[in-house]
Amino acid sequence: MEQYCPPAHVLIFPFPAQGHVNSMLKLAELLGLAGIHVTFLNTDFIHERLVRYTDIKTRFSCYPGFQFMTISDGLSADHPRSLIKFIEVYDSLNSKTKLLLREMLASNQLIGSNTRPSLTCIIVDGLIGGFTSDIANEFRIPIIYFRTISASCYWAYFSVPKIIEAGEIPVRGNEDMDRLITTVPSMESFLRYRDLPSFCQVNDLNHCNLHIFVSETQQSPQAHALILNTFEDLEGPALSHIRTHCSKVYTIGPLHTHLKFRLEAKTSSSQSQSSNNLYEVDKSCMTWLDAQPLKSVIYVSFGSITTITKDKHMEFWFGLVNSKQRFLWVIRPDLVVGEHNRNEVPEELLKGTKERGYIVSWAPQEEVLAHHAIGGFLTHSGWNSTLESIVAGVPMICWPFIGDQQLNSRFVSEVWKLGLDMKDACDRFIVEKMVNDLMGRKREVFMKSTDEMAWLARKSVSEGGSSYCNLDRLVKDIRLMSM
Ligand code: UDX
């Protein structure tokens, strides 16, 4: 006879940034689909933007146990909250938000109504796992970590104490960026100094970013479990190592496809909508794409955090226009730093863009990558973008900006053979050459691996696949906790 489990209720708390909220909200929706009550806790700032640019009311109204709640990030109204100011955001969450969260739990505010069960567990973004664990322990609520980075990057952060012990960081004077790092098990033959997460490329071991990323990662084995947005066939070696430290690791990605498949199975429709935008989406690019030939367009987007100087912007622009390839480029209003005067843009760039290009300030990226006109992706190698490109079978040119992106791009080019790595270069001639290589003579080289990996990704989230089964196990595990 099956044991009766009372309904489970999970609090999900992401770090307040696009890439984090996006994937954690997908996890939340998957749990909602499985009938688990979910309280999704956003900072006020993020929630206001989410409500403005994503129709969450309609999307989530079909999950009776789903509620959004908000909490202050403790920053002043005029704070930019960009991740360039990461430390300020992190410190404020760790001091002010921590107290507010504690108060919320102490006063039972998260229960909301008496029809909602008490909290079964907390799923927190591992980047803010430390303070949330302290509170969870105080209230005896089990805590599960969710990391928005790849398993390989997680493993690299985990290995930092060994890297330091071996003297491979910090940087010594005039460093050879191509020197191999030999102390991250499973990556000894290809991980160079320049491929380490950017926060590890420091000459001061007391650097606060390094300290935060390493200490938050090191303590995750103390959590009840670890959830990763990846799949077994993609990151087997790193996952085997992680499992020697964390007893329960649930790989349930790629989350965007996993959610899409489960929604489609439930509604028998292929029109599921699951993007979570903090920016206004410009859908006009889809009409433009409809008019372009098969696989003729390179999609260019640097995610939600990257900023570039005016000079670098010009190098990319010249490179794209001079390649003579068609391009769709996302230029967020805050992508280019410094004064930008449109009158300064050379006529040849405007002409080339009018003929073969299209620019938007935010695109429906998942739809764009799935469009038949897209033949390549010039990306900053954020983990969500990387997974989205993998599922769509689109080869990449990687231009990593910060954090995990340096490592992701090495895996894309060297391990998975899904594209080219342009890291640490920003030159119009290199951009032109790489775009032409990817869209032209090297396409065939990548197509076999991109097709194969796309197939494996889809298989993992189809019924019986590894991520599919792991999600079912996670749901069961959460239900058992509520007994
Ligand atoms: C950063 C890190 O690099 C990433 O690895 C980590 O997991 C989260 O923080 P970000 O720079 O935002 O993320 O990049 P990415 O992870 O690629 O996420 C960006 C998301 O925004 C993607 O889901 C992408 O589909 C979406 N996006 C981006 C759009 O919907 N439209 C756009 O125009 C650009």
Side-chain angles (χ1 to χ4, degrees):
M1 206 172 82
E2 284 243 341
Q3 256 180 322
Y4 169 74
C5 290
H9 177 195
V10 176
L11 169 67
I12 300 192
F13 185 24
F15 184 84
Q18 170 76 53
H20 296 248
V21 172
N22 188 18
S23 48
M24 290 194 79
L25 200 41
K26 284 179 172 140
L27 165 67
E29 196 167 349
L30 280 165
L31 296 182
L33 263 176
I36 290 183
H37 291 248
V38 176
T39 296
F40 196 87
L41 187 61
N42 268 328
T43 61
D44 297 309
F45 177 80
I46 291 289
H47 198 67
E48 193 266 320
R49 294 188 65 147
L50 187 64
V51 171
R52 191 163 356 138
Y53 300 122
T54 304
D55 183 11
I56 54 170
K57 210 166 166 194
T58 314
R59 271 262 304 286
F60 290 91
S61 60
C62 53
Y63 306 111
F66 206 104
Q67 66 172 348
F68 283 96
M69 290 198 76
T70 62
I71 193 164
S72 166
D73 58 19
L75 295 160
S76 62
D78 60 351
H79 190 282
R81 289 168 172 82
S82 86
L83 281 205
I84 301 305
K85 303 259 180 196
F86 168 75
I87 287 299
E88 289 171 27
V89 178
Y90 180 84
D91 283 347
S92 182
L93 293 169
N94 252 290
S95 51
K96 298 180 184 145
T97 308
K98 173 182 178 168
L99 297 179
L100 297 172
L101 179 61
R102 198 193 164 281
E103 180 52 32
M104 268 182 159
L105 290 177
S107 58
N108 266 341
Q109 281 175 51
L110 295 170
I111 308 297
S113 72
N114 52 13
T115 55
R116 197 173 296 280
S118 56
L119 275 187
T120 309
C121 73
I122 299 176
I123 300 181
V124 66
D125 194 320
L127 194 46
I128 44 172
F131 81 80
T132 316
S133 291
D134 293 344
I135 300 173
N137 291 340
E138 186 184 334
F139 290 92
R140 295 177 186 279
I141 304 170
I143 189 153
I144 297 177
Y145 280 13
F146 177 93
R147 289 305 298 257
T148 58
I149 53 177
S150 66
S152 305
C153 186
Y154 174 91
W155 177 235
Y157 278 133
F158 204 92
S159 306
V160 164
K162 273 191 171 175
I163 307 178
I164 294 174
E165 205 180 294
E168 295 191 308
I169 56 174
V171 194
R172 295 174 300 257
N174 211 355
E175 189 57 74
D176 172 13
M177 299 288 281
D178 292 324
R179 167 168 61 84
L180 275 181
I181 297 292
T182 61
T183 40
V184 185
S186 76
M187 300 182 200
E188 300 90 340
S189 63
F190 59 85
L191 192 73
R192 302 162 303 174
Y193 180 79
R194 68 168 82 244
D195 308 316
L196 283 172
S198 67
F199 304 128
C200 302
Q201 298 181 30
V202 289
N203 47 24
D204 171 12
L205 289 181
N206 293 317
H207 195 289
C208 48
N209 282 347
L210 176 69
H211 180 74
I212 290 168
F213 278 85
V214 173
S215 63
E216 293 286 6
T217 305
Q218 286 285 322
Q219 65 158 328
S220 45
Q222 287 153 30
H224 176 83
L226 172 69
I227 305 173
L228 291 169
N229 185 10
T230 189
F231 56 102
E232 299 288 328
D233 284 322
L234 185 68
E235 298 197 273
L239 287 164
S240 306
H241 286 289
I242 294 170
R243 287 192 170 108
T244 62
H245 297 269
C246 305
S247 54
K248 275 188 189 166
V249 181
Y250 295 101
T251 52
I252 58 169
L255 275 170
H256 68 291
T257 314
H258 203 159
L259 178 57
K260 185 174 185 315
F261 281 14
R262 296 244 183 183
L263 282 171
E264 287 172 3
K266 188 161 185 207
T267 58
S268 312
S269 145
S270 58
Q271 297 300 311
S272 61
Q273 178 50 266
S274 69
S275 31
N276 308 304
N277 294 293
L278 304 181
Y279 296 85
E280 185 169 10
V281 180
D282 184 345
K283 283 209 155 204
S284 66
C285 57
M286 298 310 290
T287 315
W288 181 81
L289 279 177
D290 287 344
Q292 310 306 318
L294 184 72
K295 295 196 188 302
S296 67
V297 176
I298 180 141
Y299 172 58
V300 186
S301 168
F302 301 128
S304 64
I305 303 165
T306 309
T307 51
I308 54 177
T309 60
K310 215 164 75 175
D311 289 348
K312 284 186 174 153
H313 184 221
M314 282 298 145
E315 292 305 305
F316 276 117
W317 206 341
F318 269 110
L320 287 169
V321 167
N322 293 345
S323 76
K324 302 276 189 287
Q325 301 286 344
R326 293 176 170 82
F327 63 91
L328 167 60
W329 191 358
V330 176
I331 304 185
R332 290 188 339 263
D334 54 352
L335 173 71
V336 184
V337 286
E339 279 296 296
H340 203 60
N341 184 348
R342 210 170 157 77
N343 296 332
E344 285 172 19
V345 178
E347 192 50 40
E348 60 190 292
L349 290 188
L350 296 176
K351 187 166 169 281
T353 304
K354 202 165 163 208
E355 284 168 7
R356 292 179 302 279
Y358 200 83
I359 293 175
V360 289
S361 55
W362 192 254
Q365 182 164 303
E366 288 173 36
E367 275 176 70
V368 165
L369 285 168
H371 196 283
H372 58 76
I374 295 295
F377 184 11
L378 170 48
T379 170
H380 70 310
S381 299
W383 188 236
N384 292 296
S385 296
T386 304
L387 285 174
E388 289 158 14
S389 203
I390 286 176
V391 172
V394 173
M396 292 167 256
I397 298 173
C398 304
W399 189 72
F401 174 64
I402 202 169
D404 58 328
Q405 299 157 12
Q406 267 71 13
L407 188 129
N408 298 343
S409 59
R410 187 62 170 168
F411 271 78
V412 165
S413 65
E414 210 54 28
V415 181
W416 303 321
K417 313 281 184 208
L418 302 174
L420 303 165
D421 192 355
M422 198 170 78
K423 75 160 59 81
D424 300 331
C426 186
D427 169 296
R428 64 188 69 180
F429 300 107
I430 296 178
V431 175
E432 178 186 339
K433 180 172 185 317
M434 286 212 170
V435 169
N436 276 327
D437 281 351
L438 193 85
M439 301 298 283
R441 67 185 182 91
K442 288 205 176 149
R443 162 179 300 286
E444 286 309 311
V445 180
F446 295 122
M447 283 325 285
K448 190 171 169 292
S449 22
T450 50
D451 285 351
E452 196 174 25
M453 200 57 95
W455 184 78
L456 289 171
R458 285 161 184 271
K459 189 175 84 147
S460 74
V461 291
S462 302
E463 201 170 341
S466 56
S467 295
Y468 188 97
C469 296
N470 286 341
L471 178 66
D472 286 351
R473 275 199 308 120
L474 173 66
V475 168
K476 207 168 157 195
D477 196 7
I478 292 172
R479 289 221 171 94
L480 284 174
M481 282 184 215
S482 67
M483 287 180 64

